[in-house]
Amino acid sequence: CAKEDEGSSTSSDGSKAITLGFSQVGSESGWRSANTDSVKSAAKEAGYNLKFSDAQQKQENQISAIRSYIAQKVDVIAFSPVVVTGWDAVLKEAKAAKIPVVLTDRSVETSDESLYVTLVGSDFTEEGRRAGKILEKVLAKAGVKGPVKIAQLEGTTGAAPAIERAKGFKEVMDADHKDDWKIVVSQTGDFTRAGGKQVMAAFLTSNPDINVLFAHNDDMAIGAIQSIEAAGKKPGKDILIVSIDGVKDGFVAMSEGKINAIVECNPLLGPQLMDVVKKVKNGETVERWIKTKEGDFMQDQAKAALPSRKY
Ligand code: AHR
């Protein structure tokens, strides 16, 4: 079952605090831990009463957490949906109870756009495109001209970042690299280190001639690096690696020459989320999608950037 933390019911000045019910995906990656810390500290800073629950990457746990927030009559519900589909019923229950819903980090597919107010999070399709464009630079730098045989480690099946990062990357391939790039294997590693390690080991057995890895997050890339080294190959040289997130451990691997480039996905969404929650609670109009600013990093920038990484 899901883990739940309860907050306090009044703000520091004694006035009635906003009660926010937040359902988190889980704790699958370094990105997720940073995101959880950001949400908890921003809620504290804003003086909100935060009811936080960790769904351990299970949709049914998120649905029961949302139902419990509806029953508790929270002011606003926010959640980061583990997968894109299957939310309409519970979102209709929130709407019937007149509790506004804010999506954070990941989006949903819904037949009724009025079921949530806004999404605070990244453009994952654009991240996939950025990964494709940065791979061009990585290949040029490494002097690889021949056939590019790509292994793709996908995020959680059915999750917005897995679907959209794959889509954006494929767009770049289809537009500019139809003849020279090929995804030879692609499978989910569930955004975890263990998943990345295990799936990469299988990839190396079935396709020993892979020369590029595109990992949908740093944690899977870090797991994959262990399998690449165990197979007697050099990550970052024999197999060029591009990943997404930009967590500290990703930057450490990049500064050691094991990851070639990272597309940043910012997990520090807490302050923006609290701001939006207040506006929504006060009935103000907010943008439909509030995006975050992010950068791209090549290996030669890693050492300089590492000390200032916050997560
Ligand atoms: O939804 C964001 C993704 O989820 C991050 O890229 C990944 O690390 C996390 O698990």
Side-chain angles (χ1 to χ4, degrees):
C1 66
K3 295 181 201 152
E4 195 161 327
D5 300 346
E6 296 280 328
S8 63
S9 56
T10 50
S11 66
S12 49
D13 65 2
S15 62
K16 191 177 178 306
I18 292 177
T19 298
L20 170 65
F22 185 93
S23 168
Q24 179 62 289
V25 169
S27 46
E28 72 283 4
S29 63
W31 189 101
R32 189 64 55 199
S33 309
N35 180 249
T36 292
D37 290 350
S38 173
V39 168
K40 286 186 174 173
S41 63
K44 196 167 179 202
E45 177 83 6
Y48 294 179
N49 173 26
L50 177 69
K51 293 176 183 290
F52 180 94
S53 133
D54 173 342
Q56 300 173 343
Q57 284 188 285
K58 292 200 174 72
Q59 183 172 35
E60 65 263 31
N61 288 346
Q62 287 201 297
I63 291 175
S64 18
I66 294 169
R67 289 210 166 112
S68 121
Y69 297 148
I70 296 170
Q72 293 172 66
K73 298 188 170 51
V74 301
D75 296 309
V76 179
I77 292 171
F79 78 113
S80 177
V82 60
V83 290
V84 289
T85 55
W87 300 104
D88 278 17
V90 73
L91 292 181
K92 279 180 187 155
E93 291 167 32
K95 191 177 176 186
K98 297 194 170 44
I99 301 176
V101 173
V102 173
L103 301 180
T104 174
D105 164 34
R106 299 182 180 180
S107 58
V108 299
E109 271 169 30
T110 171
S111 55
D112 178 355
E113 294 292 314
S114 77
L115 293 178
Y116 70 91
V117 185
T118 181
L119 163 67
V120 180
S122 303
D123 184 337
F124 298 133
T125 309
E126 190 53 30
E127 287 174 355
R129 289 186 198 112
R130 283 160 52 202
K133 294 315 271 178
I134 212 159
L135 177 58
E136 292 174 348
K137 285 195 200 166
V138 165
L139 291 166
K141 203 151 189 256
V144 175
K145 293 202 180 63
V148 177
K149 298 189 176 177
I150 305 169
Q152 177 172 238
L153 276 169
E154 302 161 27
T156 303
T157 305
I163 298 167
E164 293 164 14
R165 287 172 184 168
K167 179 172 171 271
F169 187 81
K170 191 169 177 301
E171 274 176 28
V172 173
M173 276 188 55
D174 289 349
D176 301 320
H177 299 285
K178 259 203 151 55
D179 302 324
D180 55 335
W181 294 11
K182 190 164 188 252
I183 295 182
V184 292
V185 268
S186 185
Q187 207 180 300
T188 181
D190 213 12
F191 280 132
T192 65
R193 280 187 197 201
K197 183 178 176 188
Q198 192 194 327
V199 176
M200 190 68 200
F203 283 172
L204 289 165
T205 309
S206 63
N207 295 72
D209 55 349
I210 293 161
N211 55 1
V212 166
L213 168 66
F214 169 39
H216 287 187
N217 80 345
D218 292 344
D219 280 83
M220 291 191 295
I222 292 164
I225 285 169
Q226 293 174 29
S227 292
I228 294 169
E229 288 175 334
K233 299 194 181 205
K234 283 203 168 68
K237 294 214 163 51
D238 299 327
I239 299 186
L240 303 172
I241 304 179
V242 170
S243 67
I244 299 182
D245 272 358
V247 295
K248 211 166 225 157
D249 286 353
F251 269 79
V252 169
M254 193 156 64
S255 66
E256 290 169 352
K258 297 179 180 182
I259 292 181
N260 301 79
I262 293 179
V263 168
E264 186 183 38
C265 175
N266 187 358
L268 306 180
L269 304 175
Q272 270 173 309
L273 176 64
M274 299 314 145
D275 190 43
V276 166
V277 163
K278 185 184 260 166
K279 288 185 174 149
V280 167
K281 165 80 171 57
N282 292 341
E284 291 174 40
T285 308
V286 295
E287 278 175 74
R288 186 70 182 156
W289 185 2
I290 298 158
K291 294 188 197 176
T292 25
K293 287 208 183 85
E294 292 158 345
D296 297 331
F297 297 87
M298 291 287 286
Q299 205 173 66
D300 52 10
Q301 298 166 280
K303 278 206 174 82
L306 187 54
S308 59
R309 297 307 293 172
K310 292 197 187 73
Y311 46 89

